Amino acid sequence: MHGPALPGWLLVVLCGASGGYCLLRMRAGRSGAERRAAGGEAVMGFGMALMALPAAVLTPPEWGWAVYAVVFGCAALLGLRGAVLRGGHHLHHVVGSLAMVYMAVAMAAAPGGPGAHGGHGAGHGGAAVATGGIPVLTGVLLAYFGVYVLRSGARLVPVTGAGVRAEPTGGGAVGVGTRGELALVCRLSMGLAMLAMLLSL
């Protein structure tokens, strides 16, 4: 599938903006765990933005996908360590990092090697579209990120009546990097981008 470059550029902007906001969150984090989580999400956002660049702008060298696989393989190991020690959102980081490894391997394994095709689908090299990855694994990841996006979106819907969440009442202003709903929007955006990338395999 050799679609127009516009979807790729939209993914670049979305993921780049999410990565930039995660850097703000990392700087504003109150604890080491918060800063590490935000840093991991920033790496994911910028990695996805690079992966989504249209082929006309950047065709990765043959070793580029191996670098992706190593970087996000290490991120998955760090996330797994965090999940074992602290649980919580770290398991999602592990799944996201492993999905990035999977997409990089699928692109590297394309017939003719990485960059063998001139165009990108929805932000990926045509090579990835040619291989399609492993359908069952792609389906499992699509189901996971689909559920994640729906759950994240539902958490953004305002609750009325007795279930309404109280806003912070402290005297100081809430910084942009510490707004919980913006962090959730950032994660939702990256989940949507991951769905688009997986669909382009």
Side-chain angles (χ1 to χ4, degrees), residues 15 43-52 72 100 190 193-194 197:
C15 295
V43 170
M44 179 70 70
F46 290 130
M48 291 170 71
L50 277 174
M51 193 178 270
F72 286 101
M100 292 291 281
M190 287 197 286
M194 188 68 79
M197 292 177 149

Side-chain angles (χ1 to χ4, degrees), residues 46-146:
F46 290 130
M48 291 170 71
L50 277 174
M51 193 178 270
L53 276 172
V57 175
L58 176 69
T59 300
E62 291 187 7
W63 47 265
W65 299 121
V67 171
Y68 263 99
V70 169
V71 167
F72 286 101
C74 292
L77 290 175
L78 288 173
L80 186 60
R81 179 177 176 269
V84 169
L85 295 177
R86 293 175 291 276
H89 196 68
H90 293 280
L91 278 176
H92 176 69
H93 291 174
V94 173
V95 175
S97 296
L98 290 176
M100 292 291 281
V101 171
Y102 167 63
M103 289 188 288
V105 169
M107 290 181 204
H117 300 266
H120 279 225
H124 279 308
V129 176
T131 62
I134 302 168
V136 173
L137 184 51
T138 302
V140 168
L141 288 170
L142 283 169
Y144 172 82
F145 283 103

Side-chain angles (χ1 to χ4, degrees), residues 186-198:
C186 174
R187 292 172 185 148
L188 174 63
S189 300
M190 287 197 286
L192 287 168
M194 188 68 79
L195 278 174
M197 292 177 149
L198 287 166

Side-chain angles (χ1 to χ4, degrees), residues 10-22:
L10 290 174
L11 285 174
V12 169
V13 171
L14 180 68
C15 295
S18 296
Y21 177 70
C22 290

Side-chain angles (χ1 to χ4, degrees), residues 8-35:
W9 281 117
L10 290 174
L11 285 174
V12 169
V13 171
L14 180 68
C15 295
S18 296
Y21 177 70
C22 290
L23 286 180
L24 285 177
R25 285 178 43 228
M26 186 171 73
R27 187 170 176 221
R30 297 187 187 95
S31 68
E34 284 181 6
R35 288 191 291 273

